[in-house]
Coordinates of all heavy atoms in Angstrom, one line a residue:
R81 N 3.1 -12.5 -21.9 CA 3.7 -11.6 -22.9 C 3.5 -10.2 -22.4 O 2.3 -9.8 -22.2 CB 3.0 -11.8 -24.3 CG 3.6 -11.0 -25.4 CD 2.8 -11.2 -26.7 NE 1.5 -10.7 -26.7 CZ 0.4 -11.5 -26.8 NH1 0.5 -12.8 -26.9 NH2 -0.8 -11.0 -26.7
A82 N 4.5 -9.4 -22.3 CA 4.4 -8.1 -21.7 C 5.5 -7.1 -22.2 O 6.5 -7.5 -22.7 CB 4.5 -8.2 -20.1
R83 N 5.1 -5.9 -22.1 CA 6.0 -4.8 -22.5 C 6.8 -4.3 -21.3 O 6.2 -4.2 -20.2 CB 5.2 -3.6 -23.2 CG 6.1 -2.5 -23.7 CD 5.3 -1.4 -24.4 NE 4.9 -0.4 -23.4 CZ 3.6 -0.1 -23.2 NH1 2.6 -0.7 -23.8 NH2 3.3 0.8 -22.2
V84 N 8.0 -3.9 -21.5 CA 8.8 -3.3 -20.4 C 8.4 -1.9 -20.3 O 8.8 -1.0 -21.1 CB 10.3 -3.5 -20.6 CG1 11.1 -2.8 -19.5 CG2 10.7 -4.9 -20.7
A85 N 7.6 -1.6 -19.3 CA 7.1 -0.2 -19.2 C 8.1 0.7 -18.5 O 8.1 1.9 -18.7 CB 5.8 -0.2 -18.3
I108 N 4.0 -4.6 -18.4 CA 2.6 -4.4 -18.6 C 2.1 -5.2 -19.7 O 2.8 -5.4 -20.7 CB 2.3 -2.9 -18.9 CG1 0.8 -2.6 -19.1 CG2 3.1 -2.4 -20.1 CD1 0.5 -1.1 -19.2
D109 N 0.9 -5.9 -19.5 CA 0.4 -6.7 -20.6 C -0.7 -6.0 -21.3 O -1.0 -4.8 -21.1 CB -0.1 -8.1 -20.0 CG -1.3 -8.0 -19.1 OD1 -1.9 -6.9 -19.0 OD2 -1.7 -9.0 -18.6
E110 N -1.4 -6.8 -22.3 CA -2.4 -6.2 -23.2 C -3.6 -5.7 -22.4 O -4.4 -4.9 -23.0 CB -2.7 -7.1 -24.3 CG -3.3 -8.4 -23.8 CD -2.9 -9.6 -24.7 OE1 -1.8 -9.5 -25.3 OE2 -3.7 -10.5 -24.8
E111 N -3.9 -6.2 -21.2 CA -5.0 -5.7 -20.4 C -4.7 -4.5 -19.6 O -5.6 -4.0 -18.9 CB -5.5 -6.9 -19.5 CG -6.0 -8.1 -20.3 CD -6.6 -9.2 -19.4 OE1 -6.4 -9.0 -18.1 OE2 -7.1 -10.1 -19.8
E132 N 15.2 -4.4 -22.6 CA 15.2 -3.0 -23.0 C 13.8 -2.4 -22.8 O 12.8 -3.0 -23.1 CB 15.6 -2.8 -24.5 CG 17.0 -3.3 -24.8 CD 17.3 -3.1 -26.3 OE1 16.8 -2.1 -26.9 OE2 18.1 -3.9 -26.9
E133 N 13.8 -1.2 -22.3 CA 12.5 -0.5 -22.0 C 11.8 -0.3 -23.4 O 12.4 0.2 -24.3 CB 12.8 0.8 -21.3 CG 11.6 1.5 -20.8 CD 11.9 2.7 -19.9 OE1 12.8 2.6 -19.1 OE2 11.1 3.7 -20.0
G134 N 10.5 -0.6 -23.4 CA 9.7 -0.4 -24.5 C 9.5 -1.6 -25.4 O 8.6 -1.7 -26.2
K135 N 10.3 -2.6 -25.2 CA 10.2 -3.8 -26.0 C 9.3 -4.8 -25.4 O 9.0 -4.8 -24.2 CB 11.6 -4.4 -26.3 CG 12.5 -3.7 -27.3 CD 13.7 -4.4 -27.7 CE 14.5 -3.7 -28.8 NZ 15.7 -4.5 -29.2
V136 N 8.8 -5.8 -26.2 CA 7.8 -6.8 -25.7 C 8.6 -8.1 -25.6 O 9.3 -8.5 -26.5 CB 6.6 -6.9 -26.6 CG1 5.7 -7.9 -26.2 CG2 5.9 -5.5 -26.7
Y137 N 8.3 -8.9 -24.5 CA 9.0 -10.1 -24.3 C 8.0 -11.2 -23.8 O 6.9 -10.9 -23.2 CB 10.0 -10.0 -23.2 CG 11.1 -9.0 -23.5 CD1 11.0 -7.7 -23.2 CD2 12.3 -9.5 -24.2 CE1 12.1 -6.8 -23.5 CE2 13.3 -8.6 -24.5 CZ 13.2 -7.3 -24.2 OH 14.2 -6.4 -24.5
E170 N 12.4 -12.1 -26.7 CA 11.8 -10.9 -27.3 C 10.6 -11.4 -28.3 O 10.8 -12.4 -29.0 CB 12.8 -10.1 -28.1 CG 12.2 -8.8 -28.6 CD 13.2 -7.9 -29.3 OE1 14.4 -8.3 -29.2 OE2 12.8 -6.9 -30.0
C171 N 9.5 -10.7 -28.3 CA 8.4 -10.9 -29.1 C 8.4 -10.0 -30.3 O 8.4 -8.8 -30.1 CB 7.1 -10.7 -28.3 SG 5.6 -10.8 -29.3
N172 N 8.5 -10.5 -31.5 CA 8.6 -9.7 -32.7 C 7.4 -9.9 -33.7 O 7.4 -9.4 -34.8 CB 9.9 -10.1 -33.5 CG 11.1 -9.7 -32.7 OD1 11.2 -8.6 -32.2 ND2 12.0 -10.7 -32.6
D173 N 6.3 -10.5 -33.2 CA 5.1 -10.7 -34.1 C 4.2 -9.5 -34.0 O 4.5 -8.5 -33.3 CB 4.4 -12.0 -33.8 CG 4.0 -12.1 -32.3 OD1 3.6 -11.1 -31.7 OD2 4.1 -13.2 -31.7
A174 N 3.0 -9.6 -34.6 CA 2.1 -8.5 -34.7 C 1.6 -8.1 -33.3 O 1.2 -6.9 -33.1 CB 0.9 -8.9 -35.6
S175 N 1.5 -9.0 -32.4 CA 1.0 -8.7 -31.1 C 1.8 -7.7 -30.4 O 1.4 -7.0 -29.5 CB 0.8 -10.0 -30.3 OG 2.1 -10.6 -30.0
A176 N 3.1 -7.6 -30.7 CA 4.0 -6.7 -30.1 C 3.6 -5.3 -30.4 O 3.7 -4.4 -29.5 CB 5.5 -6.9 -30.5
E177 N 3.2 -5.0 -31.6 CA 2.7 -3.7 -32.0 C 1.5 -3.3 -31.2 O 1.3 -2.1 -30.9 CB 2.5 -3.6 -33.5 CG 3.7 -3.9 -34.4 CD 3.4 -3.8 -35.9 OE1 2.3 -3.4 -36.2 OE2 4.3 -4.2 -36.7
Q178 N 0.6 -4.2 -31.0 CA -0.6 -3.9 -30.2 C -0.3 -3.5 -28.8 O -0.8 -2.6 -28.2 CB -1.5 -5.1 -30.2 CG -2.0 -5.5 -31.6 CD -2.8 -6.8 -31.6 OE1 -3.0 -7.4 -30.5 NE2 -3.3 -7.2 -32.8
L179 N 0.7 -4.2 -28.2 CA 1.1 -3.9 -26.9 C 1.8 -2.6 -26.7 O 1.7 -2.0 -25.6 CB 2.1 -5.0 -26.4 CG 1.5 -6.1 -25.5 CD1 2.5 -7.2 -25.2 CD2 1.0 -5.5 -24.2
Q180 N 2.3 -2.0 -27.8 CA 2.9 -0.7 -27.7 C 1.9 0.4 -27.4 O 2.2 1.4 -26.9 CB 3.7 -0.4 -29.0 CG 4.9 -1.3 -29.3 CD 6.0 -1.2 -28.3 OE1 6.0 -0.3 -27.5 NE2 6.9 -2.2 -28.2
K181 N 0.6 0.1 -27.8 CA -0.4 1.1 -27.7 C -1.2 0.9 -26.4 O -2.0 1.8 -26.0 CB -1.4 0.9 -28.8 CG -0.8 1.1 -30.2 CD -1.8 0.8 -31.3 CE -1.2 0.8 -32.7 NZ -2.1 0.4 -33.8
V182 N -0.9 -0.1 -25.6 CA -1.7 -0.4 -24.4 C -1.3 0.7 -23.3 O -0.1 0.9 -23.1 CB -1.4 -1.8 -23.9 CG1 -2.0 -2.0 -22.5 CG2 -2.0 -2.8 -24.8
K183 N -2.3 1.2 -22.6 CA -2.1 2.1 -21.5 C -2.3 1.4 -20.2 O -3.2 0.5 -20.1 CB -3.1 3.3 -21.6 CG -2.9 4.1 -22.9 CD -3.9 5.2 -22.9 CE -3.8 6.1 -24.2 NZ -4.8 7.1 -24.3
P184 N -1.6 1.7 -19.2 CA -1.8 1.0 -17.9 C -3.2 1.2 -17.4 O -3.8 2.3 -17.5 CB -0.8 1.7 -17.0 CG 0.3 2.3 -17.9 CD -0.5 2.7 -19.1

Side-chain angles (χ1 to χ4, degrees):
R81 183 181 67 246
R83 185 180 85 235
V84 178
I108 181 173
D109 69 4
E110 57 213 33
E111 294 182 355
E132 298 182 31
E133 188 169 323
K135 287 191 174 182
V136 179
Y137 296 91
E170 186 176 351
C171 172
N172 293 312
D173 54 38
S175 62
E177 297 181 7
Q178 298 173 358
L179 260 171
Q180 297 294 345
K181 304 174 184 178
V182 172
K183 298 177 182 178

